[in-house]
């Protein structure tokens, strides 16, 4: 199972690394970071880079693609090379997935028309502009397209995907291997439970 994660300037690291860790632990899965050309790509903080080891052309037909989000999504929406690769790869993928604002890149590639999809809560309603039906859930599956909400939900998406690709026992084994047993110290992970006024501060951190 060949899995490709495209990188572009100012992606959010956890969007890519969360799913990477889950899927790279899975037996029979090979995960490759791809970009316009091989080499390091800086994240949205400008202080961490991941190395793409292949170009889009090197991996034209992966079985799975996982498109991360991040502040760089805005510029990436006009990246014809990236969008073209997503659209062409999707024709032959078993699963096409995104994390956070990566959903907008799926939309810009023409993949979300008439489909249910999710993204970060701060921009969820804007998915409708790409013909999608916005759904406020952590992971949304519509056909072979799987979208995840904000940042950390990519881990949930990858485990859900792994269960569909393999089986629940494999997904559970990986979950246990990485000790993914979330117990957040605050009930502030959703605008539904966060203190009043915190949403504005949270959005200011990631814009």
């Amino acid at each position: 199972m060949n899995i490709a994660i495209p990188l572009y300037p100012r992606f959010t690291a956890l969007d890519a690394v969360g799913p990477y860790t889950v899927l790279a632990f899975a037996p029979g899965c090979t995960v490759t970071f791809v970009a316009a050309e091989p080499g390091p790509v800086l994240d949205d903080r400008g202080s961490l880079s991941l190395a793409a080891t292949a170009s889009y052309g090197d991996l034209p037909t992966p079985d799975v693609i996982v498109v991360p989000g991040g502040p760089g999504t805005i510029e990436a929406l006009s990246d014809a090379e990236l969008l073209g690769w997503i659209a062409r790869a999707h024709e032959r993928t078993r699963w096409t997935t995104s994390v956070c604002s990566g959903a907008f890149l799926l939309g810009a590639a023409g993949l979300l028309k008439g489909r249910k999809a999710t993204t970060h809560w701060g921009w969820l309603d804007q998915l409708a502009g790409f013909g999608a039906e916005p759904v406020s859930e952590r992971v949304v599956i519509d056909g072979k397209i799987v979208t995840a909400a904000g940042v950390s939900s990519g881990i949930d998406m990858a485990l859900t995907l792994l269960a569909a690709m393999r089986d629940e026992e494999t997904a559970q084994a990986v979950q246990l291997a990485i000790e993914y047993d979330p117990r957040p110290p605050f009930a502030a992970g959703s605008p539904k439970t966060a203190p009043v006024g915190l949403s504005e501060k949270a959005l200011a951190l990631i814009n």
Side-chain angles (χ1 to χ4, degrees):
M1 185 71 69
N2 290 311
I3 301 162
I5 303 178
L7 302 177
Y8 53 89
R10 300 181 66 224
F11 70 96
T12 294
L14 188 57
D15 285 16
V17 174
Y20 164 80
T21 300
V22 170
L23 298 171
F25 267 82
C29 290
T30 299
V31 187
T32 304
F33 290 113
V34 300
E37 58 184 39
V41 183
L42 275 174
D43 79 335
D44 56 1
R45 302 296 94 183
S47 56
L48 181 149
S49 65
L50 294 181
T53 56
S55 69
Y56 301 137
D58 292 332
L59 199 60
T61 57
D63 299 300
V64 179
I65 58 177
V66 180
V67 182
T73 300
I74 296 173
E75 291 80 10
L77 288 173
S78 59
D79 185 338
E81 189 174 6
L82 171 58
L83 298 181
W85 177 81
I86 291 172
R88 291 189 300 273
H90 173 70
E91 294 176 2
R92 297 180 63 179
T93 58
R94 289 183 58 184
W95 300 94
T96 298
T97 77
S98 67
V99 181
C100 197
S101 59
F104 291 101
L105 296 176
L106 299 189
L111 308 186
L112 295 186
K113 293 178 182 177
R115 292 187 180 273
K116 295 179 179 179
T118 193
T119 188
H120 190 283
W121 55 266
W123 299 278
L124 180 62
D125 292 343
Q126 295 179 32
L127 281 178
F130 292 93
E133 178 185 339
V135 179
S136 181
E137 293 181 10
R138 195 152 172 85
V139 178
V140 174
I141 302 174
D142 190 329
K144 70 172 187 175
I145 293 181
V146 186
T147 52
V151 192
S152 65
S153 62
I155 298 173
D156 292 17
M157 184 277 291
L159 288 167
T160 301
L161 178 64
L162 185 55
M165 291 192 320
R166 293 285 191 260
D167 52 66
E168 287 192 2
E169 184 176 13
T170 299
Q172 290 171 349
V174 169
Q175 180 180 352
L176 181 57
I178 65 174
E179 199 170 348
Y180 180 53
D181 185 21
R183 300 179 187 181
F186 311 108
S190 163
K192 298 174 183 177
T193 59
V196 175
L198 197 62
S199 293
E200 291 75 13
K201 292 182 180 179
L203 290 175
L205 294 174
I206 56 178
N207 278 328

